[in-house]
């Protein structure tokens, strides 16, 4: 899988600086209000600031320095949260800036009629509207998204895909879509504009990577509700501590009621700030990981749905097998020498430039050392493959060598009075049953034998499918092959099921059937005839090389046009959910240690016996509270890389995955703060701040 | 702890597990949608009741209609009990000629019995006529329990049904819960209790001569009512001999059976299950404890059968046991360890053939440490609230456990029906967290858990917590609240915290020590009881309504199994963590501070 770089990514200096300044800009209350957890922190910070001002004026409820320190770290907590979000956004912004530079206004050659020789007017691309036609010559930038209706040209799409090799765009077929901002390198195109300015693919891409189009996903909303619930519980548990404390002081006559500063510190430590601070960064980073994989999702919802997918529909060609079949063996007819068959096959394939043809020549050379003949010398006359005869061949002296599909050759033999021996026919059927393709070779009306063309399964794909199965995802191979061939390839590749002799209708029906069982389906496709299925599938990845219709129907576009990417998309989706879950668990597990730091510190004045709960032996009440607050703030910064990168993902069953993550993030979440808070407390003592 | 302590806990759990299976299977038949051999048996009675009430048993109610029926029915019942108490002086079956119950106390009691809480600010034998006890309180014992079961059954249907609007029919569920489950079981338990000596009659109270004359000191007052002083200025006192005692009577057994089976807990007598006429023998004590857990435990099995995967029910039951068993043993251990202050005085607190050892203050000698400690854990784990020992006299840690068991939201067995639907709310939260951690939109029992379900489950988990902490804050700040507190310092705070935990989780047990029969406390606790019961039930019905409308998602290898030990552990952790994180600061100022101080 290639990953292409559009712009600066990772943690480089300008990005960090920009994020730092953004962190301050995000401090506006309106923006904070969107996140209930961080909004509580915001209110708390304002409150302690007021308390600090009160202390400066000489009416402090606690030493001014202490209030100041708590206040400072509460603001830091907020800044760190903003910083995390800003970094996540920053990467997208850098990329958006690069994309935007390609979206400059160009002069378009608007055609009066949809033909090359029509009258041309020069207009700015921003004035082009849907349905108008433009001419794009070599060297021109394509002024808008559209469909090629005439001509063929090589186009440099590196501005969008990052791939420097030019691609062919031509009218008709599945390669007729062009994207505004790309450059025609050779020849010319007549393009019908299909998008108004501002709605183009480039515009959508910029909006996506910038996060402008980012809405909270359903799962994110549900999680926010749960976090709000925890926040409310802690808010009440802390707020009611004040009356409890006042009562206890009255009842025992010793100590002081808990101060607002300590109460606020306790509250901020308890509410799930870690996940609250990193939640939006995780979402943005998830989209960003998609972008790095060169997949543009039209919504975060689609990314999230990818994690939920139950069934993957994969096209055989290009995804499971390498695009082409390769000659694997020669099966001579009874009484025919294998070498003679190889020779005839080689001769018939010399002029055949298809990968299949090349592979026959290669096999003949490998098996019998047959060198390539000089075509000119032979005075051979080649018959190229035609759709009518479905054969190709060569006439060489008295030889009439033909090769083609079994039924085509059978028809050919019938016509010239020959006949196919039953044994040979049987061999051909055997080959087909194995999932390979038989290619019959005849000389005149004498059958010579069969060439076995095999689909070559991609390396490592079987292991990927095994992983998918472990994750509970069913894989279905889609192929136009007959059921026999399909079954054999399916078995070899290790997919769970297959759809043979697939047509757009059967594909669509399959998706509907699966969805009727309430399972989510992911698929990828490129052709116009894939569009209905793409529109029906829950996660639909359209190839960037595909038609405009396919790109419209899908909810993701793969810029690399690599169908295997679907598997990666699913993993990214899952990883995003897991990261959220892991940090939520970690965040809540942290609270146990914080209680042990703050409760003795807050109430030991009233009940000195509560000092027994100070299991970390923190130096003083104030250092204990400050250590907890500092830990709470710093853990956000420490976890930013994890939030952006996503937690390590393994293809395991649900039970094993849960056990693992509970141990790492649940148990880890209990233990880590005990160490962290103790360490910070020791540092504070060392610095004389305790 | 002694071997006999462990044996009692083990025996109790073993017998319980033996009984829940057949009972659960039976209840699954009772609440099945299709007619079967059980429901055909009583169909003629059912039909008569529906005709009498004008209810249409065939109507499939939406969650809103179900909730409304439930609410209206209970509010009407509440008002009826209120009125009955206010006019009992004019009604029959009042041999002691008790007057009208004061309005605040009557309202508190009416709410208390309608919400299955059975918090009792009053003393039964000195306040309520037999008619009020039977027609008001005992009837509510049945109906509030039946309501809990009905709501649970509707919530479970939410998981079972697919693309459906209905959750069943409230009237049918209510009648069936009463007719097929509560009444037959109560009959059996009442007879068992009578066999042990629990009273069941309509006689007036009986005065009998005491076997051994005792006396008490009474200050001498002059005609003006002032205390007379002796020469040294001390109060003048004289001994008053006691030769007779009044033995309360009444239809106790019938009410006590349902008090336990329906996890109601409202005692016929003020001393509740510590009273010898309410709980005379160790065997009756065992039966009463068993009766508390019987239906909540059985409903777990019913749940598994209704959702078509019995393992799901056992997993929930296992979660309850995993939390309950260590805590029950904890109470007994703390009580058996006794009071550290007494230990230092060279008092022998060891268990031996002649003494129970440990902390016997506030406990009945016929029960001893283990039966009292286990009862305390059972009655607070389930939202029963009957007591056979004074919880105020438990050691600090021994008292912490019952308090915390209530604060967990009454989901460890909990109230009949309500405990399990509360636990299902926790299960939804647990499934949500677990779902995230395995990278899938969470599903529970084949239903996707989305924002709406999360909102309702959160509400159900949140509500009792809010009521406890806010209610306690109000009580300790209000002079009228503080006035009821008997003990100083941390123990006094525990009394308040316990009362609010009890009311806000519909338990009903009292720590004691708190004088709660005042207008302030009656109103505060009444509001808490009402809000903890009905809004929570409605939230769960709303969740069920949303779930029922969803389609069923078939399980795959990527689906998190919810019947495994792993999930049981996770669910137990979620319950404990929410309980611990919410209440740790408050507990630190109450029992924890008290315990740590007792060590010094």
């Amino acid at each position: 899988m290639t990953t292409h770089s559009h712009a600066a990514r990772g943690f480089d200096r300008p990005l960090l600086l920009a994020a730092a300044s953004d962190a301050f800009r995000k401090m506006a209350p309106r923006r904070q209000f969107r996140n209930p957890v961080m909004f509580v922190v915001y209110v708390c910070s304002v409150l302690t600031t007021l308390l600090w001002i009160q202390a400066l004026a000489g009416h402090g409820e606690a030493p001014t320095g202490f209030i100041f320190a708590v206040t400072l770290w509460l603001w830091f907590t907020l800044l760190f949260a903003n910083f995390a979000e800003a970094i996540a956004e920053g990467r997208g912004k850098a990329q958006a800036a690069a994309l935007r530079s390609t979206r400059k206004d160009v002069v378009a050659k608007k055609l009066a009629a949809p033909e090359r020789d029509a009258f041309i007017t020069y207009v700015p691309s921003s004035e082009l509207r849907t349905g108008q036609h433009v001419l794009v010559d070599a060297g021109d930038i394509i002024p808008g998204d559209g469909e090629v209706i005439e001509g063929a040209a090589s186009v440099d799409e590196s501005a969008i895909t990052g791939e420097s090799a030019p691609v062919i765009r031509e009218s008709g077929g599945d390669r007729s879509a062009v994207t505004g901002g790309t450059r025609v390198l050779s020849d010319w195109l007549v393009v019908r504009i299909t998008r108004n300015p501002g709605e183009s693919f480039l515009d959508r891409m910029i909006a996506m990577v910038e996060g402008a189009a980012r809405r909270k996903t359903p799962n994110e909303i549900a999680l926010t509700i749960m976090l709000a619930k925890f926040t409310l519980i802690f808010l009440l548990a802390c707020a009611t501590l004040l009356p409890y404390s006042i009562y206890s002081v009255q009842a025992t006559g010793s100590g002081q009621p808990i101060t607002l500063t300590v109460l606020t510190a306790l509250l901020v430590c308890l509410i799930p700030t870690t996940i609250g601070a990193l939640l939006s960064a995780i979402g943005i980073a998830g989209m960003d990981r998609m972008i790095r994989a060169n997949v543009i999702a039209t919504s975060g919802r689609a990314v999230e749905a990818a994690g939920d997918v139950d069934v993957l529909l994969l096209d055989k060609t290009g995804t499971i097998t390498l695009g082409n079949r390769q000659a694997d063996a020669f099966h001579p007819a009874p009484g025919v020498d294998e070498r003679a068959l190889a020779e005839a096959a080689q001769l018939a394939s010399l002029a055949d430039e298809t990968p299949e043809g090349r592979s026959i020549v290669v096999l003949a050379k490998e098996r019998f050392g047959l060198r390539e003949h000089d075509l000119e010398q032979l005075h051979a006359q080649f018959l190229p493959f035609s759709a009518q005869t479905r054969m190709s061949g060569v006439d060489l002296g008295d030889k009439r060598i033909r090769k083609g599909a079994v039924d085509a050759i059978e028809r050919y033999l019938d016509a010239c009075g020959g006949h196919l021996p039953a044994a040979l026919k049987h061999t051909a059927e055997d080959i087909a049953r194995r999932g390979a393709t038989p290619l019959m070779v005849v000389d005149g009306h004498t059958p010579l034998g069969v060439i076995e063309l095999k689909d070559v399964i991609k390396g490592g794909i079987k292991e990927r499918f095994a992983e998918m199965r472990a994750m509970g995802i069913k894989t279905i191979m889609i192929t136009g092959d007959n059921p026999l061939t399909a079954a054999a390839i399916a078995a070899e590749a290790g997919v769970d099921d297959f759809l043979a002799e697939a047509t757009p209708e059967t594909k669509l029906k399959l998706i509907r059937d699966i969805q009727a069982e309430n399972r989510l389906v992911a698929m990828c496709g490129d052709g116009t005839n894939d569009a209905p299925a793409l529109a029906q599938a829950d996660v639909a990845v359209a190839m960037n090389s595909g038609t405009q219709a396919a790109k419209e129907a899908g909810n993701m576009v793969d810029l690399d046009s690599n169908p295997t990417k679907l598997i990666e998309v699913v993993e990214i989706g899952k990883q995003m959910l897991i990261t959220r879950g892991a940090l939520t668990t970690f965040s809540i597990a942290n609270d146990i240690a914080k209680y042990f730091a703050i409760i003795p510190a807050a109430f030991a004045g009233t009940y000195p016996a509560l000092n027994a709960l100070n299991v970390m032996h923190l130096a003083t009440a104030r250092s204990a509270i400050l250590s907890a607050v500092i830990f709470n703030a710093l853990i956000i910064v420490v976890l930013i890389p994890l939030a952006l990168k996503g937690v390590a993902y393994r293809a395991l069953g649900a039970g094993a995955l849960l056990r693992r993550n509970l141990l790492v993030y649940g148990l880890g979440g209990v233990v880590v703060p005990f160490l962290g808070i103790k360490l910070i407390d020791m540092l504070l003592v060392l610095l004389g701040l305790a | 702890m002694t071997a006999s302590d462990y044996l009692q806990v083990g025996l109790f759990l073993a017998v319980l597990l033996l009984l829940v299976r057949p009972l659960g299977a039976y209840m699954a038949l009772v609440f099945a949608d299709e007619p079967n051999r059980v429901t055909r048996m009583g169909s003629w009675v059912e039909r008569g009741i529906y005709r009498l009430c004008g209810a249409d048993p065939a109507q499939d109610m939406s969650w809103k209609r179900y909730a409304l029926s439930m609410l209206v029915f209970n509010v009407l019942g509440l008002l009826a009990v209120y009125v009955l108490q206010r006019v009992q002086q004019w009604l029959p079956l009042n041999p002691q000629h008790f007057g009208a119950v004061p309005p605040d106390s009557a309202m508190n009691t009416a709410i208390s019995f309608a919400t299955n809480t059975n918090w009792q600010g009053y003393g039964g034998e000195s306040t309520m006529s037999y008619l009020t006890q039977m027609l008001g309180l005992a009837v509510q014992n049945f109906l509030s329990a039946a309501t809990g079961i009905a709501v649970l059954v509707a919530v479970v249907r939410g998981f079972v049904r697919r693309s459906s609007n209905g959750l069943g029919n409230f009237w049918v569920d209510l009648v069936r819960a009463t007719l097929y489950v509560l009444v037959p079981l109560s009959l059996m338990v009442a007879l068992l209790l009578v066999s042990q000596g629990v009273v069941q009659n309509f006689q007036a109270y009986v005065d009998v001569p005491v076997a051994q004359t005792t006396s008490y000191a009474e200050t001498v007052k002059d005609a003006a009512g002032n205390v007379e002083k002796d020469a040294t200025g001390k109060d003048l006192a004289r001994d008053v001999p006691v030769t007779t005692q009044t033995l309360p009577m009444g239809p106790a057994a019938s009410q006590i059976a349902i008090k336990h089976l329906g996890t109601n807990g409202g005692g016929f007598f003020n001393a509740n299950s510590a009273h010898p006429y309410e709980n005379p023998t160790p065997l009756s004590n065992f039966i009463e404890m068993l009766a508390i857990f019987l239906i909540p435990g059985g409903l777990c099995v019913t749940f598994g059968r209704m959702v078509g995967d019995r393992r799901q029910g056992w997993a929930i039951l296992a979660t309850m046991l995993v939390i309950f068993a260590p805590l029950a043993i904890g109470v007994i251990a703390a009580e058996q360890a006794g009071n550290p202050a007494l230990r230092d005085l060279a008092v022998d607190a060891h268990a031996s053939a002649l003494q129970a050892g440990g902390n016997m203050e506030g406990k009945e000698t016929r029960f001893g440490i283990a039966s009292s400690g286990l009862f305390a854990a059972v009655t607070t784990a389930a939202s029963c609230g009957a007591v056979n020992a004074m919880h105020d006299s438990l050691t600090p840690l021994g008292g912490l456990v019952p308090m915390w068991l209530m604060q967990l939201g009454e989901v460890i067995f909990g109230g009949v029906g309500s405990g399990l639907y509360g636990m299902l709310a926790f299960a939804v939260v647990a499934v949500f967290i677990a779902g995230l951690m395995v990278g899938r939109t969470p599903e529970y029992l084949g239903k996707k858990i989305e924002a709406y379900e999360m909102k309702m489950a959160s509400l159900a988990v949140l509500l009792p917590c809010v009521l406890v902490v806010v209610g306690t804050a109000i009580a300790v700040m209000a002079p009228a609240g503080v006035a009821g507190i008997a003990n100083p310092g941390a123990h006094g705070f525990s009394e308040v915290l316990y009362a609010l935990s009890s009311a806000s989780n519909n338990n009903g047990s009292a720590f004691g020590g708190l004088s709660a029969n005042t207008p302030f406390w009656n109103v505060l606790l009444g509001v808490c009881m009402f809000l903890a019961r009905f809004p929570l039930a409605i939230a769960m019905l709303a969740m069920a309504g949303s779930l029922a409308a969803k389609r069923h998602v078939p399980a795959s290898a990527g689906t998190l199994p919810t019947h495994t030990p792993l999930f049981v552990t996770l669910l137990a952790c979620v319950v404990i963590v929410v309980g611990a994180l919410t209440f740790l600061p408050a507990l630190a100022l109450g029992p924890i501070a008290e315990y740590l101080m007792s060590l010094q």
Side-chain angles (χ1 to χ4, degrees), chain B residues 15-312:
Chain B
V15 175
L16 176 74
L17 286 176
L18 277 180
L19 292 178
V20 291
R21 197 194 175 98
L23 178 66
Y26 168 76
M27 288 193 288
L29 285 177
V30 169
F31 297 107
D33 286 342
E34 310 79 34
N36 52 54
R37 58 194 146 88
V38 176
T39 49
R40 264 193 289 271
M41 224 161 43
S43 62
W44 57 277
V45 187
E46 271 190 67
R47 271 201 305 275
I49 296 173
Y50 301 142
R51 204 166 301 141
L52 204 68
C53 309
D56 171 17
Q59 186 193 23
D60 194 24
M61 295 179 171
S62 69
W63 79 262
K64 285 180 184 155
R65 182 144 198 101
Y66 202 102
L68 188 70
S69 308
M70 185 271 296
L71 194 62
V72 168
F73 177 76
N74 277 280
V75 169
L76 287 180
L78 190 159
L79 292 177
V81 174
Y82 176 79
V83 171
L84 197 60
Q85 293 175 79
R86 300 287 294 143
V87 300
Q88 66 173 359
Q89 68 275 29
W90 300 312
L91 298 175
L93 283 177
N94 187 2
Q96 299 306 117
H97 307 291
F98 293 129
V101 181
D104 59 304
S105 171
M107 188 42 105
N108 180 285
T109 304
I111 295 175
S112 170
F113 278 74
T115 56
N116 198 256
T117 312
N118 296 31
W119 170 269
Q120 292 169 294
Y122 63 93
E125 63 269 48
S126 57
T127 317
M128 301 291 176
S129 75
Y130 291 162
L131 188 78
T132 310
Q133 292 262 30
M134 289 174 68
L135 199 62
L137 306 186
V139 167
Q140 278 296 32
N141 278 354
F142 278 97
L143 296 181
S144 66
T147 299
I149 297 176
V151 171
L152 169 77
V153 170
V155 169
V156 175
R157 286 197 191 109
F159 287 103
V160 177
R161 296 196 173 175
R162 298 167 188 189
S163 313
S164 154
N165 279 326
L167 290 179
N169 185 301
F170 174 70
W171 309 116
V172 173
D173 292 336
L174 188 78
V175 168
R176 289 193 178 165
T178 314
L179 195 64
Y180 297 110
V181 181
L182 295 173
V183 170
L185 279 178
S186 296
L187 265 174
M188 282 186 249
V189 172
L191 286 176
L192 283 173
L193 290 178
V194 168
S195 81
Q196 294 300 302
V198 176
V199 296
Q200 176 77 12
N201 58 44
F202 288 108
Q203 293 166 20
Y205 296 172
V206 181
D207 286 334
V208 294
V210 292
Q212 188 181 357
T213 309
T214 55
S215 63
Y216 63 94
E218 189 186 60
T219 50
V220 183
K221 289 177 185 166
D222 60 19
N226 297 318
V227 178
E228 285 183 23
K229 310 273 182 187
D230 65 8
T232 58
K234 279 189 188 156
D235 290 356
L236 199 61
R238 65 163 178 252
D239 280 350
V240 183
V242 178
T243 54
T244 63
Q245 65 170 328
T246 307
L247 300 180
M249 292 286 137
S254 57
Q255 193 170 329
I256 291 160
I258 185 64
K259 158 191 138 192
H260 290 266
L261 283 166
T263 63
N264 295 287
F268 192 83
F269 305 114
N270 193 25
N272 210 308
S273 282
H275 196 287
Y277 285 177
E278 196 153 334
N279 188 7
T281 65
L283 182 58
S284 72
N285 191 61
F286 190 81
I287 293 168
E288 289 185 5
M289 288 193 296
L290 214 51
I292 295 173
F293 270 7
L294 194 58
I295 298 180
L299 282 173
C300 293
V301 177
T302 309
F303 162 70
R305 288 187 176 241
M306 284 180 78
V307 299
D309 181 358
R310 296 180 191 184
R311 297 170 306 179
Q312 303 290 348

Side-chain angles (χ1 to χ4, degrees), chain A residues 418-588:
Chain A
H419 122 100
L420 208 57
L424 202 56
K425 212 170 162 183
H426 197 71
T427 310
E429 277 166 12
D430 265 357
I431 292 170
R433 199 166 300 125
R434 283 202 295 271
T437 309
L439 205 60
M440 199 63 78
V441 183
V442 291
D443 179 7
H445 55 265
T446 319
L448 294 176
V450 189
I451 309 167
E452 182 173 351
L453 292 176
K454 257 186 107 171
D455 266 311
V456 183
I457 309 274
K458 280 189 177 175
I461 199 84
K462 195 166 183 172
E463 289 71 29
R464 288 301 272 284
F465 291 149
E467 284 179 12
M468 291 284 132
R469 199 167 305 117
M471 296 191 299
I473 296 173
K474 190 175 163 187
T475 45
I476 300 181
M477 181 181 84
I478 309 284
T479 171
D481 293 340
N482 63 59
L484 225 58
T485 312
I489 297 173
E492 196 181 340
V495 293
D496 297 311
D497 205 349
F498 62 87
L499 176 68
E501 287 165 357
T503 62
E505 293 75 36
T506 54
K507 253 196 224 183
L508 188 61
K509 184 174 177 304
L510 177 67
I511 294 176
R512 289 203 172 127
D513 288 349
I514 298 167
Q515 286 174 335
E517 294 166 21
N518 227 345
R519 294 172 188 271
L520 295 187
V521 186
M523 71 165 290
C524 57
D526 53 3
T528 300
N529 57 13
D530 283 330
L534 282 170
Q536 182 72 33
D538 301 284
V539 174
V541 182
M543 303 291 108
N544 190 48
S545 61
T547 59
Q548 195 66 33
K551 281 155 98 175
E552 290 292 312
N555 46 20
M556 292 184 200
V557 176
D558 177 17
L559 300 175
D560 292 340
S561 305
N562 176 357
T564 319
K565 201 68 83 53
L566 200 49
I567 297 173
E568 213 168 312
V569 165
V570 168
E571 288 179 353
I572 291 172
K574 279 198 182 290
Q575 198 185 25
M576 192 166 86
L577 290 182
I578 295 174
T579 308
R580 274 189 209 143
L583 291 183
T584 304
T585 310
F586 184 85
S587 195
I588 291 167

